[in-house]
Amino acid sequence: MIELYYWTTPNGHKITMFLEETGLPYTIVPVKIGAGEQFKPEFLAISPNNRIPAIIDREPKGGGAPISVFESGAILLYLAEKTGRFIPGDLRGRVEVLQWLFWQMGGLGPMLGQNHHFGQYAPEKIPYAIERYVKETNRLYGVLNKRLADRPFVAGDYSIADMAAYPWIVPYERQGQNLDDFPHLKRWFEEIKARPATVRAHERAKEINTEQTMTEEAKKVLFGQTAAIVKS
Ligand SMILES: N[C@@H](CCC(=O)N[C@@H](CS)C(=O)NCC(=O)O)C(=O)O
């Protein structure tokens, strides 16, 4: 049984997509990040960066004490290795998945996160910052579109690299992008969106979070954090 510490954001969604695909039994522990639940000591003990998602695997491969994992890319890789699913076993197939997984973690996620921040949440509308991240998002969409021109998924078969990237494309309109400009990306996006596991993952999100996340109170909790917040 996997315990998933989760909130209804793109990074949380990656993991419910994986769990729904594989049918691994799991329970969700909601962490209301807008209410500051990510700063609770018991959560920081498994996720020292005060970010969702995190997991605890109480039945790790080979037995022994439970294993906790934070960082969505590390969690996807851990679960792929646990189940032997959504990452190939051979060296060449595996490295394809890993480089696109890391591309998502180091590029697509952080840059699109800044796009959301300056486009929607920043109290000041700073044209330079908005333009910088809308353009960088556009460039990254172009990279993905080109990659998908001659293959069905990012690294061949459907894999954890696709699960990492897909939730970040869902808010493409809010990111100032038009999917019609990226036909291969659009085809990939529609295909993943229609997968029964993706539909179930979206349904789980709706059950868990029925309110608007980004209230003025939530912004105070989420933005402007310094080291003082995680000081023990
Ligand atoms: N690199 C991390 C990023 C996780 C992340 O940014 N999580 C956000 C929600 S998408 C969060 O928990 N924010 C809480 C906060 O900012 O305090 C990952 O991929 O797991």
Side-chain angles (χ1 to χ4, degrees):
M1 176 68 83
I2 303 289
E3 273 167 40
L4 170 62
Y5 291 75
Y6 166 90
W7 197 239
T8 53
T9 69
N11 290 319
H13 201 63
K14 294 172 186 175
I15 314 303
T16 45
M17 284 174 74
F18 183 97
L19 292 166
E20 290 294 337
E21 285 287 346
T22 54
L24 261 184
Y26 71 102
T27 52
I28 288 184
V29 182
V31 180
K32 291 185 181 170
I33 58 174
E37 291 182 3
Q38 68 275 37
F39 304 113
K40 287 184 177 172
E42 57 271 31
F43 180 66
L44 288 176
I46 59 163
S47 188
N49 194 38
N50 65 267
R51 299 281 189 272
I52 66 93
I55 60 163
I56 300 180
D57 180 1
R58 301 215 174 264
E59 289 170 1
K61 238 176 159 178
I67 291 178
S68 68
V69 190
F70 71 100
E71 280 292 321
S72 59
I75 297 169
L76 286 173
L77 189 53
Y78 176 86
L79 293 174
E81 284 176 343
K82 179 182 174 75
T83 55
R85 308 260 331 260
F86 300 109
I87 190 164
D90 68 294
L91 175 70
R92 287 166 201 279
R94 195 176 153 80
V95 79
E96 287 294 307
V97 169
L98 289 182
Q99 63 192 339
W100 285 95
L101 176 64
F102 278 65
W103 172 83
Q104 191 289 318
M105 293 298 296
L108 193 75
M111 293 299 129
L112 276 46
Q114 296 304 316
N115 175 319
H116 295 173
H117 184 81
F118 288 107
Q120 290 155 64
Y121 307 136
E124 274 176 82
K125 295 285 170 239
I126 307 166
Y128 178 84
I130 294 172
E131 193 186 337
R132 171 171 161 77
Y133 290 109
V134 168
K135 279 187 168 168
E136 177 62 357
T137 302
N138 192 263
R139 187 189 71 81
L140 290 162
Y141 274 46
V143 171
L144 206 45
N145 186 57
K146 191 172 169 189
R147 175 71 183 173
L148 291 164
D150 59 355
R151 70 203 81 219
F153 296 105
V154 170
D157 290 340
Y158 188 54
S159 76
I160 54 174
D162 300 288
M163 294 177 207
Y166 166 83
W168 281 96
I169 308 298
V170 173
Y172 62 88
E173 282 174 338
R174 287 195 283 138
Q175 294 164 3
Q177 309 302 321
N178 179 359
L179 275 197
D180 291 331
D181 296 339
F182 304 99
H184 309 299
L185 176 60
K186 185 173 179 178
R187 184 259 312 145
W188 168 91
F189 178 78
E190 297 297 349
E191 207 168 303
I192 297 177
K193 187 177 167 190
R195 289 177 78 92
T198 310
V199 173
R200 286 196 300 274
H202 279 300
E203 279 163 5
R204 294 305 306 263
K206 279 195 219 135
E207 288 159 21
I208 298 226
N209 185 6
T210 51
E211 298 154 19
Q212 190 208 340
T213 304
M214 204 51 85
T215 59
E216 288 309 310
E217 282 311 301
K219 284 182 191 168
K220 282 185 204 144
V221 173
L222 292 169
F223 307 139
Q225 296 171 9
T226 65
I229 204 118
V230 286
K231 215 168 162 195
S232 51

